[in-house]
Amino acid sequence: MTESIKITAIINIMITNTLETLRPKKLSDYIGQENIVKTLKLFIDAVRKRGKPSEHILFYGPPGIGKTTLAYIVANELKGEIKVTSGATITKTGDLAAILTNLKDNDVLFIDEIHRLPKPVEEMLYPVMEEYSLDIIIGKGPSARTVRLSVPRITIIGATTKLALLSAPLRDRFGLLLRIDYYHNKDIEKIILRSSKILNLPITKEAISQISLRSRKTPRLANRILRRARDILEVDRHTVIDEKLVDKLFSLLEIDANGLTKIDRDYLEVLGKKFSNLPVGVETIASALSEDVRTVEEFIEPYLLRLGFIKKSSRGRSLTPKALSTIKSPSSLPSLFS
């Protein structure tokens, strides 16, 4: 391969990656979460007026709803670079010190799953957030001494799916606590339309509506389904993503009209058929599904609870009348209780 061909190939890859980056880069391009966007715009305008950041931001909410995307947008709006890390990867104070010493004014340090920070690292973060200072201990034993280093005026953005696991001292040091909730279907449809334009995918309104209904009000899932629709479009040589194509896709992915996957339907079948809808403990349900309890509690049940399909009590889990009527309807899951 000649040098010019190599350069052309690299440019093509860069163009492709740019086109397929679905994350918006500006607040004006962000769809949904109107109150969050207004609050962040006020924060960014205030920082620009002062010329330096003075507050830190904590995003919390379910996975896949845009916490990381908003962190990238804030960094871009502040004209700074973003350093992305997670609470699980910063295992010792030296890791945090190495990250902080490589940042500049107006940069953003984004810590995903911040509730997983080890206690020593968390405590080291306190003076950084309050005074933009980093305390480092040099030496050991009686000769040990503390050295305070200045840290650039950065914005720390934390993200967590479990706010309750965040310690109160760390939580209280964030000036903005913003809860990002699930999206409305209309906003999900706008996101799908925007993503389809970026990916250069022809798609009908009916297909957009069907994908939206099955995306669990989560942009990440909507974009994931759209990418799989693109696979069928390219492999089967369709000209447009229409209702027929997405019906085939949902059949392959085993996603029904309520956005329920096979494991969700298996859960409902365990309660409704195997245990005759009597209250059942989560350990029993997990055993019947051959899954661990944490998967059941954190992955399966939240969406079913949000749909109002199950109810929890001191005696266990059981199906609601809404779930029973939906399951017995011809358009949903007719085989479960036949």
Side-chain angles (χ1 to χ4, degrees), residues 219-335:
R220 182 183 294 166
L221 292 180
N223 285 326
R224 184 185 300 167
I225 293 172
L226 182 64
R227 289 180 185 275
R228 300 293 71 76
R230 178 183 61 176
D231 293 343
I232 294 181
L233 180 77
E234 294 174 348
V235 172
D236 292 350
R237 299 182 180 179
H238 291 270
T239 57
V240 64
I241 298 175
D242 55 14
E243 216 168 350
K244 184 177 178 182
L245 186 150
V246 294
D247 283 344
K248 179 180 179 181
L249 174 64
F250 297 141
S251 177
L252 290 171
L253 298 178
E254 298 182 289
I255 303 175
D256 72 5
N258 292 301
L260 300 178
T261 60
K262 185 177 184 303
I263 189 64
D264 299 322
R265 295 192 292 273
D266 289 344
Y267 180 102
L268 297 176
E269 184 171 2
V270 164
L271 285 181
K273 187 175 181 181
K274 189 169 289 187
F275 294 103
S276 304
N277 201 27
L278 296 173
V280 183
V282 65
E283 293 85 1
T284 304
I285 297 172
S287 297
L289 293 172
S290 299
E291 297 283 354
D292 62 276
V293 173
R294 191 171 177 181
T295 298
V296 172
E297 290 182 323
E298 298 181 11
F299 179 71
I300 301 173
E301 290 185 338
Y303 184 61
L304 296 176
L305 284 166
R306 189 151 49 89
L307 288 177
F309 277 13
I310 61 172
K311 55 185 177 182
K312 292 182 179 181
S313 68
S314 58
R315 298 171 60 196
R317 277 73 163 162
S318 58
L319 300 181
T320 63
K322 181 180 179 181
L324 292 170
S325 62
T326 303
I327 288 168
K328 290 177 181 178
S329 67
S331 62
S332 184
L333 306 171
S335 63

Side-chain angles (χ1 to χ4, degrees), residues 157-174:
I157 300 180
T160 179
T161 55
K162 299 176 181 178
L163 184 64
L165 296 183
L166 208 64
S167 70
L170 179 58
R171 186 175 64 243
D172 293 344
R173 282 173 168 82
F174 286 97

Side-chain angles (χ1 to χ4, degrees), residues 73-84:
I73 288 175
V74 171
N76 186 58
E77 296 279 6
L78 293 178
K79 309 298 182 186
E81 296 182 4
I82 184 170
K83 173 67 178 178
V84 180

